[in-house]
Amino acid sequence: DGGITQSPKYLFRKEGQNVTLSCEQNLNHDAMYWYRQDPGQGLRLIYYSQIVNDFQKGDIAEGYSVSREKKESFPLTVTSAQKNPTAFYLCAVATDLNTEAFFGQGTRLTVV
Amino acid sequence: AQRVTQPEKLLSVFKGAPVELKCNYSYSGSPELFWYVQYSRQRLQLLLRHISRESIKGFTADLNKGETSFHLKKPFAQEEDSAMYYCALRSGGSNYKLTFGKGTLLTVNP
């Protein structure tokens, strides 16, 4: 299954609640990424992490938070401050330069 | 700041016709460029990368630093090429930031 697991596949939350999306990998890759995919917007980078205990904001980090306590895991929390949280979220992992990024199957979050 | 622009949201061609998906980038350093493809109900996957100078499924892409472009080309499109295509740029050096364009939906008609 590509070594990247995103769970759950579908997630429903009430407005105002924080929610955490899981991304786990067993590829032993250093870099991990979170993207948001919206129709007509492509993939927009939320956060990325190059090594454990370090991460950087992407282009649309407001309203999101992450942690990287373990190499295998890079959870994304969608906070109540995110104005439009309903979206498809993709996690990816990669190793050093010039190599491909591997993507998870994604989590579709719906906030009602 | 790094940016990737794919000017065409939609591209429709007939089977056997040539196809070119455009990609322009903005980056001050030496970028690494990639094309990713997403077939219906499948994960996003790498199609090709500029550093390899390879041809995958008949597709090629040449990095033109003067025009800051990395257009994807195929001389004879096939119906199975119908998919969403994303151009991506990765920072050089020790920064692993990976930025995608908005994508182009290619439809190859019979």
Side-chain angles (χ1 to χ4, degrees):
Chain A
D1 196 25
I4 306 168
T5 304
Q6 285 189 248
S7 59
K9 197 171 181 181
Y10 299 97
L11 191 54
F12 295 87
R13 277 296 180 270
K14 288 186 179 178
E15 195 172 334
Q17 289 181 336
N18 291 356
V19 60
T20 298
L21 282 60
S22 169
C23 179
E24 303 279 330
Q25 57 121 345
N26 61 8
L27 299 173
N28 200 35
H29 285 356
D30 288 315
M32 296 187 75
Y33 305 82
W34 274 107
Y35 294 90
R36 172 180 171 141
Q37 190 176 30
D38 297 284
Q41 296 291 325
L43 276 72
R44 291 184 289 169
L45 182 63
I46 304 172
Y47 269 98
Y48 65 108
S49 168
Q50 294 174 201
I51 54 172
V52 174
N53 293 323
D54 186 48
F55 49 82
Q56 287 82 39
K57 290 183 179 180
D59 300 314
I60 56 164
E62 187 176 347
Y64 299 98
S65 66
V66 293
S67 63
R68 187 84 187 276
E69 295 176 4
K70 299 185 299 182
K71 191 174 187 178
E72 305 80 32
S73 178
F74 191 41
L76 173 74
T77 296
V78 184
T79 75
S80 57
Q82 168 49 233
K83 291 183 172 46
N84 296 296
T86 294
F88 189 63
Y89 291 88
L90 279 169
C91 176
V93 305
T95 182
D96 55 8
L97 286 174
N98 306 323
T99 61
E100 68 183 286
F102 295 94
F103 283 82
Q105 285 191 304
T107 293
R108 185 165 297 280
L109 172 66
T110 302
V111 175
V112 297
Chain B
Q2 60 193 64
R3 182 175 295 173
V4 177
T5 303
Q6 293 180 250
E8 304 137 329
K9 258 189 190 177
L10 304 169
L11 185 60
S12 183
V13 300
F14 286 102
K15 178 182 172 182
V19 63
E20 181 180 48
L21 288 81
K22 291 185 167 49
C23 172
N24 289 91
Y25 67 90
S26 172
Y27 182 62
S28 56
S30 292
E32 304 300 334
L33 285 148
F34 306 84
W35 275 99
Y36 282 80
V37 60
Q38 191 169 29
Y39 301 103
S40 179
R41 297 189 188 86
Q42 293 188 26
R43 298 189 190 201
L44 196 62
Q45 58 187 283
L46 178 71
L47 180 62
L48 54 79
R49 71 199 93 181
H50 93 269
I51 198 74
S52 304
R53 301 187 63 83
E54 57 201 344
S55 173
I56 303 293
K57 299 184 180 183
F59 284 97
T60 59
D62 289 317
L63 177 60
N64 185 324
K65 291 188 177 181
E67 295 182 358
T68 59
S69 68
F70 188 55
H71 303 326
L72 183 68
K73 300 177 185 179
K74 185 169 182 176
F76 307 103
Q78 303 299 315
E79 288 180 69
E80 55 266 30
D81 295 329
S82 296
M84 180 68 86
Y85 291 80
Y86 293 97
C87 183
L89 181 155
R90 189 152 164 195
S91 307
S94 58
N95 188 328
Y96 287 8
K97 186 176 184 182
L98 180 61
T99 303
F100 285 78
K102 293 188 176 182
T104 298
L105 179 62
L106 174 65
T107 302
V108 181
N109 301 298

